[in-house]
Amino acid sequence: RIVTIVPMFLGTGRHAREDLPALVAQLRAAHHNVAFRLQAAVGEDERVLELLASIALEGRRRLPGMHNECFL
C-alpha cells in the first residue's frame, strides 16, 4: 500500500518543514507494510500561485480619485 500525504498549506512553514516529516516518520515506524509519500505543500505549486494571483486581480476595484494603476 502507498499513502500519499498532501499538505494543504500555502507555503512550507514550520508545520510542513518539521512537524509533518516527524509525524510521517512515526507512521512509517508503526506501519511497516505501508509506504508513506509526503508531497510538497500545495502552495508551492505554481498553479496555486497563479490561481491566487488571478483571484486577486479579478476582485480588484479602482480607488476613487486615484490613478488607474491604484487598486484596492
Side-chain angles (χ1 to χ4, degrees), residues 6-64:
V6 184
M8 296 294 176
F9 297 117
L10 292 178
T12 306
R14 182 173 164 236
H15 290 306
R17 205 174 45 250
E18 297 174 16
D19 299 338
L20 281 177
L23 290 171
V24 172
Q26 292 175 9
L27 287 169
R28 288 180 177 138
H31 305 279
H32 298 286
N33 60 334
V34 179
F36 293 93
R37 208 177 83 190
L38 180 57
Q39 288 187 190
V42 296
E44 298 297 319
D45 187 311
E46 188 174 308
R47 294 171 295 177
V48 173
L49 298 175
E50 289 171 2
L51 176 62
L52 291 173
S54 174
I55 291 169
L57 291 174
E58 180 180 292
R60 69 186 181 190
R61 60 186 164 104
R62 297 189 196 298
L63 294 172

